Amino acid sequence: MTMGSALFPATETPPKLAVPGAPALRTLADLLAPHTLHHTAAGGAVASFLGLQLTSVYQAIVSSADGHALGAEAYVRSAGSDGPELSPWNLFAQAGSGEEVVRLDRLCRALHVANFGAGLARGETLFLNVHPDLPEVVKADFGLSFRRILALLGVAPERCVLELRVANQAPTRLLRDVLRGFRARGFQVALDLGLGPTTDAPFALDGLGEMPDYLKFTPTAELDLARRALQRARAAGVQLIGTRLGDAASLALARSLGADYLQGHAIARATIEPAHSLTS
């Protein structure tokens, strides 16, 4: 499997999101305070947090059938002027409180949207991770503040998938409230079954009351219960994404489990400009 053609020739400028007017910019600044989001001369965006510069990279999520991109998942990259790049978990460890984690989480998602103008112009979907501490801190009106941020950036919430990591245990009422709250604000929702063995996958879907739009899973050798859970999700209309696919074996296993879409280093690494198609 090889990459398709370059997204933008050297002479082509990636599409930009509309720049909000002054009143909207002030409102955006209030929603992201005390952090800042800046447009760059090249047409992208960077953010600042505790002396660190934050940027975006994207990993393509492609159709299992034909290799065309559904969209991409965004990841934050951060580094100071005199230090190494921090992992996302180490970045969030710099936040001093739950409220600060939530503000940083929203800042990162706003940054990723601002940098994904080209993908949005192609009609692609942007997958955005939600920090696992956000539901406990926010507690209500899930997705409201981020919908306001998207409105100021000129992006419909339907273009974004908010992604939540699900532990291998029965979900709480709070998780159900988060899923329903995001949906009520117009967002699509993805649940990620996580890194561990998926033998508890059926329990991760019990009690939700409704299914997510996408279910992400990591193929493992422990298939029986996982296969049943994925089949049940597919029967309910959920689209399946095999993720963390590192080699040909995991690709084949994801396909055997019915993955509609594929993601991982075996497909494409995270880059500033994600691939929008792959060819076999």
Side-chain angles (χ1 to χ4, degrees):
M1 183 171 287
T2 59
M3 281 290 183
S5 59
L7 291 177
F8 300 105
T11 56
E12 184 178 348
T13 301
K16 301 178 184 178
L17 296 174
V19 178
L25 283 174
R26 286 194 293 271
T27 303
L28 182 60
D30 290 340
L31 287 170
L32 297 177
H35 311 304
T36 55
L37 188 66
H38 310 281
H39 282 278
T40 67
V46 296
S48 300
F49 172 73
L50 297 180
L52 299 169
Q53 179 173 285
L54 311 184
T55 56
S56 304
V57 293
Y58 304 90
Q59 187 173 54
I61 300 173
V62 306
S63 168
S64 179
D66 59 20
H68 284 87
L70 167 68
E73 181 174 348
Y75 300 94
V76 65
R77 294 291 182 264
S78 60
S81 58
D82 57 354
E85 181 179 291
L86 297 179
S87 71
W89 291 113
N90 285 334
L91 169 65
F92 277 90
Q94 308 302 308
S97 66
E99 290 77 10
E100 183 69 12
V101 166
V102 169
R103 287 192 290 268
L104 176 58
D105 186 54
R106 288 178 185 147
L107 175 70
C108 291
R109 283 185 269 132
L111 173 68
H112 299 327
V113 172
N115 280 324
F116 199 63
L120 294 172
R122 290 192 297 269
E124 294 178 6
T125 298
L126 179 58
F127 284 69
L128 297 163
N129 286 285
V130 174
H131 192 279
D133 288 351
L134 182 141
E136 288 287 353
V137 176
V138 175
K139 297 189 183 302
D141 293 328
F142 299 109
L144 178 60
S145 292
F146 192 58
R147 181 179 174 122
R148 290 171 177 164
I149 290 170
L150 290 187
L152 294 169
L153 292 172
V155 176
E158 293 82 4
R159 306 299 304 280
C160 298
V161 178
L162 298 185
E163 185 173 319
L164 294 155
R165 178 72 60 82
V166 180
N168 287 337
Q169 58 188 5
T172 63
R173 181 177 58 84
L174 184 58
L175 177 59
R176 296 196 299 272
D177 291 346
V178 173
L179 191 155
R180 291 168 180 167
F182 286 163
R183 282 253 179 84
R185 308 295 179 194
F187 296 102
Q188 299 182 74
V189 181
L191 296 182
D192 186 343
L193 295 178
L195 285 165
T198 55
T199 51
D200 287 334
F203 306 108
L205 301 178
D206 287 340
L208 280 177
E210 58 184 291
M211 288 286 190
D213 300 280
Y214 299 92
L215 185 66
K216 301 182 79 171
F217 67 95
T218 305
T220 74
E222 299 173 340
L223 299 179
D224 292 341
L225 288 176
R227 192 185 299 273
R228 291 206 301 273
L230 297 174
Q231 288 173 343
R232 185 174 63 183
R234 176 184 279 281
V238 178
Q239 298 187 79
L240 305 180
I241 301 175
T243 191
R244 304 177 191 89
L245 307 179
D247 53 29
S250 60
L251 278 171
L253 189 51
R255 286 191 168 107
S256 76
L257 288 168
D260 301 289
Y261 298 98
L262 306 169
Q263 178 187 6
H265 289 167
I267 300 294
R269 291 187 176 271
T271 60
I272 295 174
E273 295 290 354
H276 63 275
S277 67
L278 303 175
T279 56
S280 299

